Coordinates of all heavy atoms in Angstrom, one line a residue:
M706 N 101.1 115.6 116.4 CA 99.7 114.9 116.5 C 98.9 115.1 115.2 O 98.9 116.1 114.6 CB 99.1 115.6 117.6 CG 97.5 115.0 117.8 SD 97.7 113.5 118.8 CE 96.0 113.1 118.9
A707 N 98.5 113.9 114.7 CA 97.8 114.0 113.4 C 96.3 114.4 113.6 O 95.8 114.4 114.8 CB 97.6 112.6 112.8
K708 N 95.7 114.9 112.6 CA 94.3 115.3 112.7 C 93.4 114.2 113.1 O 93.7 113.0 112.6 CB 93.9 115.9 111.4 CG 94.5 117.3 111.0 CD 94.2 117.7 109.6 CE 92.8 117.8 109.4 NZ 92.4 118.3 108.1
K709 N 92.5 114.5 113.9 CA 91.6 113.4 114.4 C 90.8 112.8 113.2 O 90.4 111.6 113.2 CB 90.7 113.8 115.5 CG 91.4 114.3 116.7 CD 90.7 114.0 118.0 CE 91.3 114.4 119.2 NZ 92.6 113.8 119.6
S710 N 90.5 113.7 112.2 CA 89.7 113.2 111.1 C 90.5 112.2 110.3 O 90.0 111.2 109.8 CB 89.3 114.3 110.2 OG 90.4 115.1 109.7
K711 N 91.9 112.4 110.2 CA 92.6 111.5 109.5 C 92.8 110.1 110.2 O 92.8 109.0 109.5 CB 94.0 112.0 109.3 CG 94.1 113.2 108.3 CD 93.9 112.7 106.8 CE 94.1 113.9 105.9 NZ 94.0 113.5 104.5
I712 N 92.8 110.2 111.4 CA 93.0 108.9 112.2 C 91.6 108.2 112.1 O 91.7 106.9 112.0 CB 93.4 109.2 113.7 CG1 94.8 109.9 113.8 CG2 93.2 108.0 114.6 CD1 95.1 110.4 115.1
A713 N 90.6 108.9 112.2 CA 89.3 108.2 112.2 C 89.0 107.6 110.8 O 88.4 106.5 110.7 CB 88.1 109.3 112.4
A714 N 89.5 108.4 109.7 CA 89.3 107.8 108.3 C 90.1 106.6 108.2 O 89.7 105.7 107.6 CB 89.8 108.9 107.3
N715 N 91.3 106.5 108.7 CA 92.2 105.3 108.6 C 91.4 104.2 109.5 O 91.5 103.0 108.9 CB 93.5 105.5 109.2 CG 94.6 104.6 108.7 OD1 94.6 104.4 107.5 ND2 95.3 104.1 109.6
E716 N 90.7 104.4 110.5 CA 90.1 103.4 111.4 C 89.0 102.8 110.5 O 88.7 101.6 110.5 CB 89.8 103.9 112.6 CG 90.9 104.1 113.7 CD 91.8 103.0 113.9 OE1 91.3 101.9 114.0 OE2 93.0 103.1 113.8
R717 N 88.2 103.8 109.8 CA 87.2 103.3 109.0 C 87.6 102.5 107.9 O 87.0 101.4 107.5 CB 86.4 104.5 108.4 CG 85.3 105.0 109.3 CD 84.4 106.0 108.4 NE 85.2 107.1 107.6 CZ 85.6 108.2 108.2 NH1 85.4 108.5 109.4 NH2 86.2 109.1 107.3
R718 N 88.7 102.7 107.2 CA 89.3 102.0 106.3 C 89.7 100.6 106.8 O 89.5 99.5 106.1 CB 90.6 102.6 105.7 CG 90.2 103.7 104.7 CD 91.5 104.1 103.9 NE 91.2 105.5 103.4 CZ 91.7 106.6 103.9 NH1 92.5 106.7 104.8 NH2 91.4 107.7 103.2
K719 N 90.2 100.5 108.0 CA 90.6 99.1 108.5 C 89.3 98.4 108.6 O 89.3 97.1 108.4 CB 91.2 99.3 109.9 CG 92.7 99.9 109.8 CD 93.3 100.1 111.2 CE 94.6 100.6 111.1 NZ 95.2 100.8 112.5
A720 N 88.2 99.0 109.1 CA 87.0 98.2 109.2 C 86.5 97.7 108.0 O 86.0 96.5 107.8 CB 85.9 99.0 110.0
V721 N 86.6 98.5 106.9 CA 86.1 98.0 105.5 C 86.9 96.9 105.0 O 86.5 96.1 104.4 CB 86.1 99.3 104.5 CG1 85.8 98.8 103.1 CG2 85.1 100.4 105.0
V722 N 88.3 97.1 105.2 CA 89.2 96.0 104.8 C 88.8 94.6 105.4 O 88.7 93.6 104.8 CB 90.7 96.4 105.0 CG1 91.5 95.2 104.9 CG2 91.0 97.4 104.1
R723 N 88.6 94.8 106.8 CA 88.2 93.4 107.6 C 87.0 92.9 107.0 O 86.8 91.7 106.8 CB 88.1 93.7 108.9 CG 89.3 93.8 109.7 CD 89.2 93.8 111.2 NE 88.4 94.9 111.7 CZ 88.9 96.1 112.1 NH1 90.1 96.2 112.1 NH2 88.0 97.0 112.5
R724 N 86.0 93.7 106.7 CA 84.7 93.3 106.2 C 84.7 92.7 104.9 O 84.1 91.7 104.6 CB 83.7 94.6 106.2 CG 82.2 94.3 106.0 CD 81.3 95.3 106.4 NE 81.7 96.4 105.6 CZ 81.9 97.7 106.1 NH1 81.9 97.8 107.4 NH2 82.1 98.8 105.4
H725 N 85.7 93.1 104.0 CA 85.7 92.6 102.7 C 86.8 91.7 102.3 O 86.9 91.1 101.2 CB 85.7 93.7 101.6 CG 84.6 94.6 101.5 ND1 83.5 94.3 100.7 CD2 84.2 95.8 102.1 CE1 82.6 95.1 100.9 NE2 82.9 96.2 101.8
A726 N 87.6 91.4 103.3 CA 88.8 90.5 103.2 C 88.5 89.3 102.6 O 89.3 88.8 101.7 CB 89.5 90.5 104.5
E727 N 87.7 88.4 103.2 CA 87.3 87.1 102.8 C 86.8 87.1 101.3 O 87.4 86.3 100.6 CB 86.2 86.5 103.7 CG 86.0 85.0 103.4 CD 85.0 84.5 104.4 OE1 84.9 84.9 105.5 OE2 84.3 83.5 103.9
R728 N 86.0 87.9 100.9 CA 85.5 88.0 99.6 C 86.5 88.3 98.6 O 86.6 87.8 97.5 CB 84.2 89.0 99.5 CG 83.7 89.2 98.1 CD 82.8 88.1 97.8 NE 82.2 88.3 96.5 CZ 82.0 87.5 95.6 NH1 82.4 86.1 95.7 NH2 81.4 87.6 94.4
R729 N 87.3 89.4 98.9 CA 88.4 89.7 98.0 C 89.4 88.4 98.0 O 89.8 88.3 96.7 CB 89.1 90.9 98.6 CG 88.4 92.2 98.5 CD 89.2 93.4 99.0 NE 90.5 93.6 98.3 CZ 90.6 94.3 97.2 NH1 89.6 94.8 96.5 NH2 91.8 94.4 96.6
A730 N 89.8 87.8 98.9 CA 90.7 86.7 98.8 C 90.1 85.6 97.9 O 90.8 85.1 97.0 CB 91.0 86.0 100.2
R731 N 88.7 85.3 97.9 CA 88.2 84.3 97.1 C 88.3 84.9 95.6 O 88.6 84.1 94.7 CB 86.7 84.1 97.4 CG 86.6 83.0 98.5 CD 85.1 82.6 98.7 NE 84.6 83.3 99.7 CZ 83.4 84.2 99.7 NH1 82.8 84.1 98.5 NH2 83.1 84.8 100.7
L732 N 87.9 86.1 95.4 CA 88.0 86.6 94.0 C 89.5 86.6 93.5 O 89.6 86.2 92.4 CB 87.5 88.0 93.9 CG 86.0 88.1 94.3 CD1 85.5 89.6 94.3 CD2 85.2 87.6 93.2
K733 N 90.4 86.9 94.3 CA 91.7 86.9 93.8 C 92.2 85.5 93.5 O 93.0 85.2 92.6 CB 92.6 87.6 94.9 CG 92.5 89.0 94.8 CD 93.5 89.8 95.8 CE 93.4 91.2 95.6 NZ 94.5 91.8 95.2
E734 N 91.7 84.5 94.3 CA 92.1 83.2 93.9 C 91.5 82.7 92.7 O 92.1 82.1 91.9 CB 91.6 82.4 95.1 CG 92.0 80.8 94.9 CD 93.4 80.5 95.0 OE1 94.2 81.3 95.6 OE2 93.8 79.5 94.4
I735 N 90.3 83.1 92.4 CA 89.6 82.8 91.0 C 90.3 83.4 90.0 O 90.7 82.8 88.9 CB 88.0 83.3 91.1 CG1 87.3 82.4 92.0 CG2 87.5 83.2 89.7 CD1 85.9 82.9 92.3
I736 N 90.8 84.7 90.2 CA 91.6 85.4 89.2 C 92.9 84.6 88.9 O 93.3 84.5 87.7 CB 91.8 86.8 89.5 CG1 90.6 87.6 89.4 CG2 92.8 87.5 88.6 CD1 90.6 89.0 90.1
R737 N 93.4 84.2 89.9 CA 94.8 83.5 89.7 C 94.7 82.0 89.1 O 95.5 81.7 88.4 CB 95.4 83.4 91.1 CG 96.9 83.1 91.1 CD 97.5 83.2 92.4 NE 96.9 82.3 93.5 CZ 97.3 81.0 93.7 NH1 98.1 80.6 92.9 NH2 96.7 80.3 94.5
T738 N 93.6 81.3 89.5 CA 93.6 79.9 89.0 C 92.3 79.5 88.2 O 92.3 78.4 87.7 CB 93.6 79.0 90.2 OG1 92.4 79.3 91.1 CG2 94.8 79.2 91.1
G739 N 91.4 80.4 88.0 CA 90.2 80.0 87.3 C 90.2 80.0 85.8 O 91.3 80.3 85.1
M740 N 89.0 79.7 85.2 CA 89.0 79.7 83.8 C 88.9 81.1 83.3 O 88.5 82.0 84.1 CB 87.8 78.9 83.3 CG 87.8 77.4 83.8 SD 89.2 76.5 83.1 CE 88.5 76.3 81.5
P741 N 89.2 81.3 82.1 CA 89.1 82.8 81.6 C 87.9 83.6 81.7 O 87.8 84.6 82.2 CB 89.5 82.6 80.0 CG 90.3 81.4 80.0 CD 89.7 80.5 81.0
Q742 N 86.7 82.8 81.6 CA 85.4 83.4 81.8 C 85.2 83.7 83.3 O 84.7 84.9 83.6 CB 84.3 82.4 81.2 CG 82.9 83.0 81.4 CD 82.7 84.2 80.5 OE1 83.5 84.3 79.4 NE2 81.7 85.0 80.7
E743 N 85.5 82.8 84.1 CA 85.4 83.0 85.6 C 86.4 84.3 86.0 O 86.0 85.0 86.8 CB 85.8 81.8 86.3 CG 84.9 80.6 86.2 CD 85.4 79.4 86.9 OE1 86.7 79.2 86.9 OE2 84.6 78.5 87.1
Q744 N 87.5 84.3 85.4 CA 88.5 85.2 85.8 C 88.0 86.7 85.4 O 88.0 87.6 86.2 CB 89.8 85.1 85.1 CG 90.7 84.0 85.6 CD 92.0 83.6 84.8 OE1 91.9 84.1 83.5 NE2 92.9 83.0 85.4
A745 N 87.4 86.8 84.3 CA 86.8 88.1 83.7 C 85.7 88.4 84.7 O 85.7 89.7 85.2 CB 86.3 88.0 82.4
E746 N 84.9 87.6 85.1 CA 83.7 87.9 86.0 C 84.3 88.4 87.4 O 83.8 89.2 88.1 CB 82.7 86.7 86.2 CG 81.6 87.0 87.0 CD 80.8 88.2 86.5 OE1 80.6 88.4 85.4 OE2 80.4 88.9 87.5
A747 N 85.4 87.6 87.9 CA 85.9 88.0 89.1 C 86.6 89.3 89.1 O 86.4 90.1 90.1 CB 86.9 86.8 89.6
V748 N 87.2 89.7 88.0 CA 87.8 91.0 87.9 C 86.8 92.0 88.0 O 86.9 93.1 88.6 CB 88.7 91.1 86.6 CG1 89.1 92.5 86.2 CG2 89.9 90.1 86.7
R749 N 85.7 91.9 87.3 CA 84.6 92.8 87.3 C 84.0 92.9 88.6 O 83.7 94.1 89.2 CB 83.5 92.4 86.3 CG 83.7 92.8 84.8 CD 82.6 92.7 84.0 NE 82.2 91.2 83.8 CZ 82.6 90.3 83.0 NH1 83.6 90.7 82.1 NH2 82.2 89.1 82.9
E750 N 83.8 91.8 89.4 CA 83.3 91.9 90.8 C 84.2 92.6 91.7 O 83.8 93.4 92.5 CB 83.0 90.4 91.3 CG 82.5 90.4 92.7 CD 81.3 91.1 93.0 OE1 80.5 91.3 92.1 OE2 81.2 91.6 94.1
L751 N 85.6 92.4 91.6 CA 86.6 93.0 92.4 C 86.6 94.4 92.1 O 86.7 95.2 93.0 CB 88.0 92.4 92.0 CG 89.1 92.6 93.1 CD1 88.7 92.1 94.3 CD2 90.3 92.0 92.5
A752 N 86.4 95.0 91.0 CA 86.3 96.4 90.6 C 85.1 97.1 91.1 O 85.0 98.2 91.4 CB 86.3 96.5 89.0
R753 N 84.0 96.3 91.4 CA 82.8 96.8 92.0 C 82.9 97.1 93.4 O 82.1 97.9 93.9 CB 81.5 95.9 91.6 CG 81.0 96.1 90.2 CD 79.6 95.4 90.1 NE 79.7 93.9 90.3 CZ 79.7 93.1 89.3 NH1 79.9 93.5 88.0 NH2 79.8 91.9 89.5
Q754 N 83.7 96.4 94.0 CA 83.9 96.7 95.5 C 84.3 98.1 95.8 O 85.0 98.7 95.0 CB 84.9 95.6 96.1 CG 84.2 94.2 96.1 CD 85.0 93.2 96.9 OE1 86.2 93.4 97.3 NE2 84.4 92.1 97.3
P755 N 84.1 98.5 97.1 CA 84.6 99.8 97.5 C 86.2 99.9 97.4 O 86.8 99.0 97.6 CB 84.2 99.9 99.0 CG 83.3 98.8 99.2 CD 83.6 97.8 98.1
R756 N 86.6 101.0 97.0 CA 87.9 101.4 96.8 C 88.6 101.1 98.1 O 89.8 100.6 98.2 CB 88.2 102.8 96.4 CG 89.7 103.2 96.2 CD 89.8 104.5 95.6 NE 89.5 104.4 94.3 CZ 89.4 105.5 93.4 NH1 89.7 106.8 94.0 NH2 89.0 105.5 92.2
D757 N 88.1 101.4 99.3 CA 88.8 101.3 100.6 C 88.8 99.9 101.1 O 89.4 99.6 102.1 CB 88.1 102.2 101.6 CG 88.5 103.6 101.6 OD1 89.5 103.9 100.9 OD2 87.8 104.5 102.1
A758 N 88.3 98.9 100.3 CA 88.3 97.5 100.7 C 89.7 97.0 100.4 O 90.0 95.8 101.0 CB 87.2 96.7 99.9
S759 N 90.5 97.6 99.7 CA 91.9 97.1 99.5 C 92.7 97.4 100.7 O 92.8 98.5 101.2 CB 92.5 97.8 98.3 OG 93.8 97.4 97.9
A760 N 93.5 96.5 101.1 CA 94.4 96.7 102.3 C 95.5 97.7 102.0 O 96.1 98.2 103.0 CB 95.1 95.3 102.7
T761 N 95.9 98.0 100.8 CA 96.9 98.9 100.5 C 96.5 100.4 100.9 O 97.3 101.3 100.8 CB 97.4 98.9 99.1 OG1 96.2 99.1 98.2 CG2 98.0 97.5 98.7
R762 N 95.1 100.6 101.1 CA 94.6 101.9 101.4 C 94.9 102.3 102.8 O 94.8 103.4 103.3 CB 93.1 101.9 101.1 CG 92.8 101.7 99.7 CD 92.9 102.9 98.8 NE 91.9 103.8 99.1 CZ 91.6 105.0 98.6 NH1 92.4 105.3 97.4 NH2 90.7 105.9 98.9
I763 N 95.2 101.3 103.7 CA 95.4 101.6 105.0 C 96.9 102.2 105.3 O 97.8 101.8 104.6 CB 95.4 100.2 105.9 CG1 93.9 99.7 105.8 CG2 95.8 100.5 107.3 CD1 93.8 98.4 106.4
R764 N 96.9 103.2 106.0 CA 98.2 103.9 106.4 C 98.7 103.4 107.8 O 98.0 103.5 108.7 CB 97.8 105.5 106.4 CG 99.0 106.3 106.7 CD 99.8 106.4 105.4 NE 100.8 107.7 105.6 CZ 101.9 107.7 104.9 NH1 102.3 106.6 104.1 NH2 102.7 108.7 105.1
N765 N 99.9 103.2 107.8 CA 100.5 102.8 109.1 C 100.8 104.1 109.9 O 101.3 105.0 109.5 CB 101.9 102.1 109.0 CG 101.8 100.7 108.5 OD1 100.9 100.1 108.7 ND2 102.7 100.2 107.7
R766 N 100.2 104.2 111.1 CA 100.3 105.3 111.9 C 100.7 105.0 113.3 O 100.6 103.9 113.7 CB 98.9 106.0 112.1 CG 98.4 106.5 110.7 CD 97.2 107.4 110.9 NE 96.8 108.1 109.7 CZ 97.2 109.3 109.4 NH1 97.9 110.0 110.3 NH2 96.9 109.9 108.3
D767 N 101.4 106.0 114.0 CA 101.8 105.9 115.3 C 100.7 105.6 116.3 O 99.6 106.2 116.1 CB 102.4 107.1 115.7 CG 103.2 107.2 117.1 OD1 102.6 106.5 118.0 OD2 104.2 107.8 117.3
S768 N 100.8 104.6 117.1 CA 99.6 104.2 117.9 C 99.3 105.1 119.0 O 98.3 105.2 119.6 CB 99.9 102.8 118.5 OG 101.1 102.8 119.4
V769 N 100.3 106.0 119.4 CA 100.1 107.1 120.4 C 99.5 108.3 119.9 O 98.5 108.7 120.4 CB 101.4 107.4 121.2 CG1 101.3 108.4 122.2 CG2 102.0 106.2 121.7
D770 N 100.0 108.9 118.9 CA 99.4 110.3 118.4 C 99.2 110.2 117.0 O 98.7 111.3 116.4 CB 100.4 111.4 118.6 CG 101.7 111.2 117.8 OD1 101.9 110.3 117.2 OD2 102.7 112.0 118.0
G771 N 99.2 109.1 116.2 CA 98.8 109.0 114.9 C 99.7 109.5 113.8 O 99.2 109.7 112.7
R772 N 100.9 109.9 114.1 CA 101.8 110.4 113.1 C 102.1 109.4 111.9 O 102.3 108.3 112.2 CB 103.2 110.6 113.8 CG 104.2 111.4 112.8 CD 105.4 111.7 113.6 NE 106.2 112.7 113.1 CZ 107.1 112.5 112.1 NH1 107.2 111.4 111.5 NH2 107.7 113.6 111.5
P773 N 101.8 109.9 110.7 CA 101.9 108.9 109.6 C 103.3 108.6 109.1 O 103.4 107.6 108.4 CB 101.1 109.7 108.6 CG 101.3 111.1 108.7 CD 101.5 111.1 110.2
R774 N 104.3 109.4 109.4 CA 105.7 109.2 108.7 C 106.5 108.6 109.7 O 106.4 108.8 110.9 CB 106.3 110.6 108.3 CG 105.3 111.4 107.3 CD 105.2 110.6 105.9 NE 104.4 111.2 105.1 CZ 104.8 111.8 103.9 NH1 106.1 111.7 103.6 NH2 104.0 112.4 103.1
G775 N 107.6 107.9 109.3 CA 108.6 107.3 110.2 C 108.1 106.2 111.0 O 108.5 106.1 112.1
H776 N 107.1 105.3 110.6 CA 106.6 104.4 111.4 C 107.5 103.1 111.5 O 108.0 102.6 110.5 CB 105.3 103.9 110.7 CG 104.5 103.0 111.5 ND1 104.6 101.6 111.2 CD2 103.6 103.2 112.6 CE1 103.8 100.9 112.1 NE2 103.2 101.9 112.9
L777 N 107.7 102.7 112.8 CA 108.5 101.5 113.0 C 107.5 100.4 113.4 O 106.8 100.3 114.3 CB 109.5 101.7 114.2 CG 110.4 102.8 114.1 CD1 111.1 103.1 115.3 CD2 111.4 102.5 112.9
T778 N 107.3 99.4 112.5 CA 106.3 98.4 112.4 C 106.4 97.6 113.7 O 105.4 97.3 114.4 CB 106.4 97.5 111.2 OG1 106.4 98.3 110.0 CG2 105.3 96.5 111.2
K779 N 107.7 97.1 114.1 CA 107.8 96.3 115.2 C 107.4 96.9 116.5 O 106.8 96.2 117.4 CB 109.4 96.0 115.4 CG 109.7 95.1 116.5 CD 111.3 94.7 116.4 CE 111.6 93.7 117.5 NZ 113.1 93.4 117.6
F780 N 107.3 98.2 116.7 CA 106.9 98.8 117.8 C 105.6 99.6 117.7 O 105.0 100.0 118.7 CB 107.9 99.9 118.3 CG 109.2 99.2 118.6 CD1 110.3 99.2 117.6 CD2 109.4 98.6 119.8 CE1 111.4 98.7 117.9 CE2 110.6 98.0 120.0 CZ 111.7 98.0 119.1
G781 N 105.1 99.8 116.5 CA 103.9 100.5 116.2 C 103.9 101.9 116.7 O 102.9 102.6 116.9
L782 N 105.1 102.5 116.5 CA 105.4 103.9 116.9 C 106.1 104.6 115.8 O 106.8 104.0 115.1 CB 106.3 104.0 118.2 CG 105.7 103.4 119.5 CD1 106.9 103.2 120.5 CD2 104.5 104.1 119.9
S783 N 106.1 105.9 115.8 CA 106.9 106.6 114.9 C 108.4 106.9 115.4 O 108.5 106.5 116.6 CB 106.3 108.1 114.6 OG 106.5 108.9 115.9
R784 N 109.2 107.1 114.5 CA 110.7 107.2 115.1 C 110.8 108.3 116.1 O 111.5 108.1 117.1 CB 111.5 107.6 113.9 CG 111.2 108.9 113.3 CD 112.1 109.3 112.0 NE 111.6 110.6 111.5 CZ 111.8 111.7 112.0 NH1 112.6 111.9 113.1 NH2 111.4 112.8 111.3
V785 N 110.0 109.4 115.9 CA 110.2 110.5 117.2 C 109.6 109.8 118.4 O 110.3 110.1 119.4 CB 109.3 111.6 116.6 CG1 109.3 112.7 117.7 CG2 109.8 112.2 115.3
R786 N 108.5 109.4 118.5 CA 107.9 108.7 119.8 C 108.7 107.7 120.3 O 109.0 107.5 121.5 CB 106.5 108.3 119.5 CG 105.7 107.7 120.7 CD 105.3 108.8 121.6 NE 104.5 109.8 120.8 CZ 104.3 111.0 121.2 NH1 104.7 111.4 122.4 NH2 103.7 111.9 120.5
F787 N 109.2 106.8 119.3 CA 110.2 105.7 119.8 C 111.4 106.3 120.6 O 111.7 105.8 121.5 CB 110.7 105.0 118.5 CG 111.5 103.8 118.9 CD1 111.1 102.6 119.4 CD2 113.0 104.0 118.7 CE1 112.1 101.6 119.7 CE2 113.9 103.1 119.0 CZ 113.4 101.9 119.5
R788 N 112.0 107.3 120.0 CA 113.2 107.9 120.6 C 112.8 108.4 121.9 O 113.5 108.2 122.9 CB 113.7 108.9 119.6 CG 115.0 109.5 120.1 CD 115.6 110.3 119.0 NE 117.0 110.7 119.2 CZ 117.4 111.8 119.7 NH1 116.4 112.7 120.1 NH2 118.7 112.1 120.0
E789 N 111.7 109.2 122.1 CA 111.3 109.8 123.3 C 111.1 108.7 124.4 O 111.5 108.8 125.5 CB 110.0 110.6 123.2 CG 110.2 111.8 122.4 CD 108.8 112.5 122.2 OE1 107.7 112.0 122.4 OE2 108.9 113.7 121.5
M790 N 110.3 107.6 124.1 CA 110.0 106.6 125.0 C 111.2 105.8 125.4 O 111.3 105.4 126.5 CB 108.9 105.7 124.3 CG 107.7 106.4 124.3 SD 106.3 105.4 123.5 CE 105.9 104.2 124.9
A791 N 112.1 105.6 124.4 CA 113.4 104.8 124.7 C 114.2 105.7 125.7 O 114.8 105.0 126.6 CB 114.2 104.5 123.4
H792 N 114.3 106.9 125.5 CA 115.2 107.8 126.4 C 114.6 107.8 127.8 O 115.3 107.8 128.8 CB 115.4 109.1 125.8 CG 116.3 109.3 124.8 ND1 117.6 109.0 124.9 CD2 116.1 109.8 123.6 CE1 118.2 109.1 123.7 NE2 117.3 109.7 122.8
R793 N 113.3 107.8 127.9 CA 112.6 107.8 129.3 C 112.6 106.3 129.8 O 112.1 106.2 131.0 CB 111.1 108.3 129.2 CG 111.2 109.7 128.8 CD 109.6 110.3 129.0 NE 108.8 109.6 128.2 CZ 108.1 110.1 127.1 NH1 108.4 111.3 126.8 NH2 107.1 109.4 126.6
G794 N 113.0 105.3 129.1 CA 113.1 104.0 129.6 C 111.7 103.3 129.6 O 111.5 102.3 130.4
E795 N 110.8 103.6 128.8 CA 109.5 103.2 128.8 C 109.4 101.9 127.8 O 108.2 101.3 127.7 CB 108.4 104.2 128.3 CG 108.4 105.3 129.3 CD 107.5 106.5 128.9 OE1 106.9 106.5 127.7 OE2 107.3 107.5 129.6
L796 N 110.4 101.6 127.1 CA 110.4 100.5 126.2 C 111.4 99.4 126.7 O 112.5 99.6 126.7 CB 110.8 100.9 124.7 CG 110.0 102.0 124.0 CD1 110.6 102.3 122.7 CD2 108.6 101.4 123.9
P797 N 110.8 98.2 127.1 CA 111.6 97.3 127.8 C 112.7 96.7 126.7 O 112.2 96.3 125.6 CB 110.6 96.2 128.2 CG 109.4 96.5 127.8 CD 109.3 97.9 127.3
G798 N 113.8 96.5 127.2 CA 114.8 95.8 126.4 C 115.6 96.8 125.4 O 116.4 96.4 124.6
I799 N 115.2 98.1 125.3 CA 115.7 99.0 124.5 C 116.6 99.9 125.2 O 116.4 100.4 126.2 CB 114.6 99.8 123.7 CG1 113.6 99.0 123.2 CG2 115.3 100.9 122.8 CD1 114.1 98.2 121.9
R800 N 117.9 100.0 124.6 CA 118.9 100.8 125.2 C 119.6 101.7 124.1 O 119.6 101.3 122.9 CB 120.0 100.0 125.9 CG 119.7 99.3 127.1 CD 120.8 98.5 127.8 NE 121.6 97.9 126.8 CZ 122.9 97.5 127.1 NH1 123.5 97.9 128.1 NH2 123.6 96.8 126.1
K801 N 120.2 102.7 124.6 CA 120.8 103.7 123.6 C 122.1 103.0 123.3 O 122.9 102.6 124.1 CB 121.0 105.0 124.2 CG 121.6 105.9 123.1 CD 121.4 107.4 123.8 CE 121.9 108.4 122.6 NZ 123.3 109.0 122.8
A802 N 122.4 102.9 122.1 CA 123.6 102.3 121.7 C 124.9 103.1 121.9 O 124.8 104.4 121.7 CB 123.6 102.0 120.1
S803 N 126.0 102.5 122.3 CA 127.3 103.3 122.5 C 128.4 102.4 122.2 O 128.4 101.2 122.8 CB 127.4 103.9 123.9 OG 127.5 102.8 124.9
W804 N 129.3 102.8 121.3 CA 130.3 101.9 120.9 C 131.6 102.8 120.7 O 131.6 103.9 120.7 CB 130.0 101.1 119.8 CG 129.7 101.8 118.4 CD1 130.5 102.2 117.6 CD2 128.4 102.2 118.1 NE1 129.9 102.9 116.5 CE2 128.5 102.9 116.9 CE3 127.2 102.1 118.6 CZ2 127.4 103.5 116.2 CZ3 126.0 102.5 118.0 CH2 126.2 103.2 116.7

């Protein structure tokens, strides 16, 4: 189980990313296609935004207990939790392989 403070910090980051996503997308488009003067201004504006506004600051965590490592995106679970739930039959369509 991850510390509650780490889980809460990650949730705050998700909120900041959502709040700034549209503005960041517009600035990045200007940087990609604009005139050199516009590009320079867009880069400065992007740098002025909060550090946590970048989507790369979000950490994928287990949806059940917040474990940060071994995250399986398709299920939103860590490898440990996935294995436990699969063995108990709590994940529909998942069976233990045998060959």
